[in-house]
Amino acid sequence: MKCRIIREAEYITTQWAGGKTSQIMISPQDAAFAERMFEWRFSRATVEAQESIFTKMQGFHRILYLISGKPELHYGGGTKRLEQGMTISFDGNMSIHALGQGTDLNLIMNVNTEGYVEQKRAAAGEVLLIKNIYAADCCMIYILSGQINVSGHTAYKHESIVCSMDIAEGFSVNAEESSEFVCFYIGKKGVCDFPAAGDELL
């Protein structure tokens, strides 16, 4: 099992029509997001405009976790107001018009990949065991608050950790202070045993 800290300074931040997006990791690592030839991409987006249109991603599926804000999404199947901590999943080619500002984590996956999200809380000094009960390939961790230690390396608020899930026992997360973080489990479609990814926009 291997883990790597991704510092916030390493995120690749670019502008999009509604604000900024920070690519945290893409697989394979030499893939170019613009060429749409990747397996999955994990990023953080900040919506700064009061109105914005989600970029269409034909052939991909998306899972979004809301960090902050209360944006309202308008799409073909209706309207949905997002709240902090909410997870939604949707087809990447869906037309979505967003009203309101916010910050979210975004996992984009091709047709052969799927994912699942869990939010974790740990008191100072608590140790959490992240088991590979879903047969995932890897786990992307984003730290919402506090600081945690994995494999002897400390990561802080807004930083990320990527861990391979090649052993069923998983890995330990040591909370060096009261912490909240989000785990995105990622793996091959048809192999992983994930629950529903979150509210599905139809």
Side-chain angles (χ1 to χ4, degrees):
M1 192 275 299
K2 297 179 181 178
C3 289
R4 180 170 72 87
I5 307 292
I6 306 174
R7 305 298 180 189
E8 192 172 16
E10 298 177 62
Y11 298 174
I12 301 172
T13 300
T14 55
Q15 289 285 146
W16 66 287
K20 294 184 179 69
T21 182
S22 296
Q23 178 175 291
I24 298 172
M25 189 166 184
I26 194 167
S27 179
Q29 293 188 42
D30 60 352
F33 174 68
E35 295 176 0
R36 306 291 197 263
M37 295 297 290
F38 57 91
E39 296 173 358
W40 57 267
R41 178 187 188 250
F42 182 65
S43 63
R44 181 185 65 196
T46 300
V47 180
E48 300 169 346
Q50 285 297 329
E51 294 190 36
S52 58
I53 303 294
F54 280 29
T55 301
K56 283 192 173 186
M57 297 287 300
Q58 185 172 5
F60 291 84
H61 196 79
R62 299 172 70 167
I63 299 177
L64 184 151
Y65 173 92
L66 190 69
I67 297 176
S68 64
K70 293 185 177 181
E72 186 176 88
L73 305 186
H74 295 260
Y75 55 98
T79 301
K80 190 170 191 65
R81 168 76 71 175
L82 301 187
E83 301 285 344
Q84 183 178 356
M86 183 178 290
T87 300
I88 60 168
S89 60
F90 52 96
D91 188 292
N93 201 42
M94 181 178 288
S95 296
I96 298 179
H97 178 204
L99 299 178
Q101 299 171 320
T103 301
D104 62 72
L105 298 173
N106 190 0
L107 176 63
I108 305 176
M109 302 156 287
N110 69 9
V111 295
N112 299 313
T113 309
E114 59 183 341
Y116 179 64
V117 182
E118 289 180 339
Q119 184 172 338
K120 305 283 189 180
R121 294 180 176 85
E126 186 177 358
V127 179
L128 298 183
L129 179 59
I130 309 298
K131 294 183 178 181
N132 191 12
I133 61 175
Y134 305 122
D137 291 330
C138 71
C139 177
M140 286 291 320
I141 298 175
Y142 181 90
I143 302 167
L144 299 169
S145 64
Q147 60 188 59
I148 62 177
N149 186 293
V150 178
S151 298
H153 301 285
T154 299
Y156 303 89
K157 182 178 179 180
H158 300 321
E159 295 184 337
S160 299
I161 307 171
V162 57
C163 293
S164 65
M165 301 291 285
D166 50 3
I167 56 174
E169 292 79 7
F171 58 93
S172 295
V173 173
N174 300 272
E176 297 183 341
E177 58 183 52
S178 180
S179 304
E180 285 187 76
F181 55 96
V182 185
C183 294
F184 282 73
Y185 303 94
I186 308 166
K188 296 177 180 64
K189 193 168 186 177
V191 175
C192 298
D193 186 23
F194 292 139
D199 289 344
E200 183 83 21
L201 300 184
L202 302 176

